[in-house]
Amino acid sequence: MITLVRVDNRLIHGQVVEAWLPFLKVSRVVVADDEAASSPLIRAAMALAVQSAIEVQILPLSQVDFAALSKDGVRTLVLLRDVASVPFAHAHGLAMDELNLGNVHFGTGRRQVSPSVFLAEAELTTLQQLADQGVRVAARAVPAEKPVDLPDLRERWAKAG
Amino acid sequence: MVGLVVAAHGRLAEELVSTAEQIVGELPAVATCNIEPGTPVEDIRAKMKQAIARVDEGAGVIILADLFGGTPCKESLMMCQRMNVEVLAGVNLPMLLKANSLRSEELSLPEMANQLASHGQRNITCASALLREAQQPRT
């Protein structure tokens, strides 16, 4: 079962290991990312960072069986590098009540909508489409932070223009 | 909740707490004590007492000092004679993060201090050697 889906361009890092994993009490972390999966070094370094009681899978986006992850009884955190990967995962069976935007760094065409999230217009459109399908979209770097929901993110985006 | 005081030379305490907060969010009941060079001992003591008083909610306080034998540690040890305080030396980031999360586990103050010392030590690793080990194909 999917406990949380998080967009974080650092994938597994301090905030995930120290804050989200204890908070979510998941038994499995799935990193769905072509770049991370292609490097044995990155795979080993990321897997090492997670305590051994938690299963870590690092796979190319197209090789993740999202439907199976959603159906079995194992509490799972899914990590995606960017907003652009989310529709693919969702269309391939990723059951998702909530999409957490963790770290989306500044890039060309992106505007700041929270301390750790910068979005481009196309990303905002993608997120709105997910929200229209019933997914709660919120920016929240760590569990202790108050989530900022999509309508507020849209408003901030418009103001930042 | 057990209170935490990070006491260290220079601005290490303040920076350590601010770094921990970047990783896990705001830390409740945490005070810092920066010991700048040339501060008179009386001022250091007053500062330490204030920091302890600020975070003591009745469950006691753990002081995380930077260096065994250094001033922040020595002055902290003076406090633990008269107050419900435990002192740890050699503070590092994993220890501080663990100190924050252990507070929800209803441990006695000495037990919590012990667990923190072990946790801090366990988290000092030769990461590159661990990585080499992890990359070895299992035979």
Side-chain angles (χ1 to χ4, degrees):
Chain A
M1 61 181 281
I2 306 298
T3 309
L4 187 72
V5 181
R6 173 174 170 94
V7 174
D8 191 327
N9 52 15
R10 301 189 215 166
L11 301 169
I12 294 175
H13 64 111
Q15 287 177 348
V16 171
V17 172
E18 291 289 341
W20 285 103
L21 295 184
F23 175 77
L24 296 169
K25 298 186 170 57
V26 291
S27 316
R28 182 169 58 197
V29 178
V30 177
V31 175
D33 186 72
D34 297 5
E35 194 183 323
S38 71
S39 160
L41 185 67
I42 295 176
R43 287 206 309 270
M46 281 196 188
L48 266 184
V50 177
Q51 59 179 72
S52 52
I54 298 175
E55 182 197 349
V56 179
Q57 293 181 19
I58 301 168
L59 297 162
L61 186 64
S62 62
Q63 280 182 34
V64 180
D65 188 344
F66 289 109
L69 294 177
S70 304
K71 285 193 192 96
D72 70 13
V74 185
R75 290 178 62 84
T76 302
L77 167 66
V78 173
L79 292 168
L80 302 163
R81 184 184 300 268
D82 48 34
V83 173
S85 313
V86 183
F88 177 90
H90 198 219
H92 287 76
L94 178 62
M96 185 167 43
D97 299 327
E98 188 179 339
L99 177 67
N100 163 246
L101 303 173
N103 290 288
V104 184
H105 288 170
F106 178 75
T108 313
R110 288 205 173 113
R111 299 180 190 171
Q112 185 161 21
V113 293
S114 87
S116 62
V117 177
F118 296 74
L119 295 172
E121 190 163 17
E123 290 169 324
L124 213 53
T125 308
T126 300
L127 293 171
Q128 189 56 54
Q129 284 163 350
L130 289 161
D132 294 343
Q133 293 170 55
V135 178
R136 182 191 169 187
V137 177
R140 189 181 177 196
V142 291
E145 210 175 85
K146 203 168 153 286
V148 185
D149 285 307
L150 189 58
D152 291 333
L153 295 175
R154 292 179 66 94
E155 201 173 305
R156 291 178 184 190
W157 194 88
K159 276 188 190 150
Chain B
M1 180 186 279
V2 170
L4 302 176
V5 173
V6 184
H9 294 85
R11 297 189 39 230
L12 179 65
E14 200 179 306
E15 295 296 344
L16 204 54
V17 169
S18 118
T19 303
E21 289 186 330
Q22 279 171 35
I23 297 172
V24 297
E26 200 177 325
L27 305 179
V30 172
T32 58
C33 211
N34 291 339
I35 313 280
E36 301 288 355
T39 313
V41 170
E42 295 71 36
D43 293 5
I44 293 173
R45 280 181 194 164
K47 239 180 162 175
M48 300 276 322
K49 279 193 187 128
Q50 271 169 6
I52 293 168
R54 248 205 329 273
V55 297
D56 192 353
E57 300 175 359
V61 173
I62 290 187
I63 302 178
L64 302 144
D66 57 350
L67 189 65
F68 190 70
T71 305
C73 180
K74 276 193 306 209
E75 291 306 325
S76 303
L77 289 171
M78 301 293 131
M79 310 280 164
C80 75
Q81 309 294 319
R82 286 169 289 113
M83 301 180 187
N84 191 16
V85 165
E86 291 283 337
V87 181
L88 292 162
V91 64
N92 57 28
L93 190 57
M95 257 165 103
L96 178 55
L97 294 170
K98 190 68 170 181
N100 182 49
S101 61
L102 266 187
R103 295 189 287 184
S104 56
E105 292 194 18
E106 308 273 314
L107 299 164
S108 72
L109 202 64
E111 174 59 20
M112 181 172 161
N114 259 321
Q115 283 198 23
L116 284 178
S118 313
H119 183 82
Q121 289 161 6
R122 268 202 315 277
N123 275 271
I124 296 170
T125 56
C126 179
S128 49
L130 286 178
L131 185 66
R132 279 194 295 276
E133 227 169 90
Q135 288 183 287
Q136 292 292 331
R138 297 230 171 90
T139 46

